[in-house]
């Protein structure tokens, strides 16, 4: 089913766009319903205090719809993305028959990460974007400067991550190259070679983790500065009420939670970029294993 196509996230989307679009649409619908629940809870409380049950029934209906959609999406997801993994694995195995078993085994595992991105990271990113938009719009209603601070924070985050993208790519390349040797190394039954291989993987994992921690720390510092600025600005320039200050901080923090998804997704994309280059390259066994 993937014959003649490059094995990339884009090609998988083009080939399976109908089934993937259904699960993503359900994800967006689930996100919207989840976002609306606090609003309906407020309406229900006001209605019950006045002995009216219409809004309470609406709340129950929304929660029921959320339950049905949430469960149905997860059942559907498992089957759709499971099928994509099978097709991708079959294609990778068929195109890699000239490579060593160790390399093929590693690349099938790497290929599954492309599907994992479509199943998990992409929907999380969509949810994050919806939350970011809602937060920015609400902050703008209090004062444009609050919204511009949020948008400026996102721009700085993206610039900051771009400075580390090539480094992440190189580290993932080294890690994947070492992982391709694992089956052959284990087949030698030589403790010293196995130990060297595992220690090499550990070193690369530590380097990746340290870089991710540094980037996360810088981005989190940036986001905390954003929240602090919005608190100061709201207290100094916005009509001061307890409710206003609470709303500004609540939506600023909601923005922070959603924004933290961005570096995670970008780090995942750096790894996927290397994987897509690797599994689509035509190299011989000696080059792959040297």
């Amino acid at each position: 089913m993937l014959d003649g196509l490059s094995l990339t996230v884009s090609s998988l989307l083009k080939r399976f766009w109908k089934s993937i679009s259904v699960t993503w649409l359900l994800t967006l619908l689930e996100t919207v319903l989840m976002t609306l629940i606090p609003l309906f809870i407020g309406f229900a409380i006001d209605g019950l205090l006045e002995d009216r049950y219409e809004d309470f029934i609406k709340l129950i209906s929304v929660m029921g719809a959320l339950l049905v959609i949430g469960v149905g999406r997860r059942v559907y997801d498992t089957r759709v993305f499971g099928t994509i993994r099978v097709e991708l694995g079959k294609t990778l195995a068929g195109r890699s028959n000239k490579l060593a078993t160790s390399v093929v085994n590693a690349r099938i595992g790497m290929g599954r990460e492309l599907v994992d991105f479509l199943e998990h990271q992409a929907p999380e990113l969509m949810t994050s974007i919806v939350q970011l938009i809602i937060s920015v719009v609400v902050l703008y209603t209090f004062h444009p400067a609050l919204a511009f601070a949020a948008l400026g924070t996102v721009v700085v985050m993206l610039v900051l991550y771009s400075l580390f993208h090539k480094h992440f790519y190189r580290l993932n390349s080294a890690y994947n190259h070492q992982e391709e040797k694992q089956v052959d190394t284990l087949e030698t039954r030589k403790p010293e070679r196995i130990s060297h291989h595992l220690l090499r993987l550990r070193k690369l994992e530590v380097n990746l983790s340290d870089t991710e921690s540094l980037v996360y720390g810088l981005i989190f510092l940036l986001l905390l500065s954003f929240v602090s600025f919005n608190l100061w600005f709201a207290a100094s320039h916005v009509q001061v009420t307890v409710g206003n200050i609470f709303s500004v901080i609540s939506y600023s923090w909601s923005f922070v939670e959603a924004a933290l998804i961005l570096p995670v997704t970008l780090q995942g994309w750096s790894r996927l970029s290397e994987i897509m280059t690797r599994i689509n390259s035509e190299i011989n066994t000696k080059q792959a294993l040297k």
Side-chain angles (χ1 to χ4, degrees):
M1 295 179 71
L2 293 169
D3 294 340
L5 295 175
S6 295
L7 303 180
T8 64
V9 170
S10 177
S11 65
L12 292 178
L13 277 173
K14 290 178 181 178
R15 176 61 188 83
F16 299 98
W17 70 269
K18 290 183 179 179
S19 52
I20 292 176
S21 62
V22 170
T23 186
W24 284 4
L25 180 62
L26 291 174
T27 298
L28 287 175
L29 184 56
E30 185 179 354
T31 302
V32 170
L33 289 176
M34 186 71 75
T35 305
L36 288 175
I37 281 183
L39 181 64
F40 278 92
I41 288 176
F43 291 156
I45 290 173
D46 291 339
L48 290 173
L49 290 175
E50 298 175 4
D51 291 326
R52 291 186 293 101
Y53 290 88
E54 293 85 355
D55 291 322
F56 179 71
I57 294 173
K58 290 179 182 178
L59 172 62
I60 297 300
S61 299
V62 170
M63 290 192 294
L66 179 62
L67 175 64
V68 172
I69 292 172
V71 173
R73 180 184 65 80
R74 285 160 178 78
V75 171
Y76 182 74
D77 280 1
T78 303
R79 287 156 176 78
V80 168
F81 292 107
T83 298
I84 298 175
R85 288 187 182 93
V86 170
E87 294 301 326
L88 182 58
K90 287 162 56 179
T91 302
L92 268 172
R95 294 182 184 182
S96 307
N97 52 15
K98 293 183 180 180
L99 298 177
T101 301
S102 183
V103 177
V104 178
N105 176 70
R107 292 192 179 185
I108 288 177
M110 294 175 200
R112 292 175 66 88
E113 294 187 36
L114 273 66
V115 186
D116 291 343
F117 180 84
L118 293 172
E119 183 177 7
H120 302 296
Q121 282 77 37
E124 287 176 359
L125 180 61
M126 288 189 293
T127 299
S128 171
I129 291 173
V130 171
Q131 292 175 337
L132 287 174
I133 292 173
I134 292 174
S135 297
V136 170
V137 170
V138 172
L139 289 173
Y140 188 87
T141 63
F142 286 104
H143 197 287
L146 300 174
F148 291 142
L151 294 174
T153 300
V154 170
V155 171
V156 176
M157 283 176 56
L158 295 176
V159 171
L160 179 63
Y161 186 83
S162 69
L163 299 176
F164 288 87
H165 172 72
K166 290 184 178 179
H167 186 57
F168 275 118
Y169 188 95
R170 287 194 296 270
L171 288 175
N172 277 294
S173 178
Y175 182 86
N176 290 336
H177 185 72
Q178 189 67 32
E179 198 173 38
E180 288 182 342
K181 303 177 181 180
Q182 181 155 293
V183 172
D184 284 346
T185 301
L186 294 174
E187 286 180 342
T188 65
R189 307 292 181 177
K190 295 180 179 179
E192 64 278 6
R193 282 194 60 183
I194 294 174
S195 177
H196 174 76
H197 166 74
L198 295 175
L199 287 172
R200 175 65 176 161
L201 284 178
R202 177 188 177 277
K203 181 180 178 180
L204 292 169
E205 287 171 345
V206 169
N207 289 340
L208 271 168
S209 177
D210 288 348
T211 305
E212 289 172 357
S213 298
L214 174 61
V215 174
Y216 178 85
L218 292 173
I219 288 176
F220 199 64
L221 177 62
L222 175 66
L223 291 171
L224 290 179
S225 300
F226 156 74
V227 172
S228 300
F229 169 80
N230 273 17
L231 175 59
W232 167 79
F233 191 90
S236 305
H237 298 80
V238 178
Q239 182 180 358
V240 180
T241 67
V242 175
N244 285 349
I245 297 297
F246 176 79
S247 295
V248 168
I249 295 305
S250 295
Y251 279 99
S252 294
W253 190 251
S254 176
F255 176 89
V256 169
E257 292 178 327
L260 285 174
I261 300 296
L262 292 179
V264 175
T265 304
L266 290 171
Q267 288 169 25
W269 186 255
S270 293
R271 175 166 174 78
L272 287 183
S273 298
E274 200 286 328
I275 288 175
M276 288 186 287
T277 300
R278 181 175 295 267
I279 65 177
N280 287 291
S281 63
E282 294 182 2
I283 56 176
N284 60 43
T285 306
K286 291 182 179 180
Q287 288 176 318
L289 295 174
K290 73 178 181 180

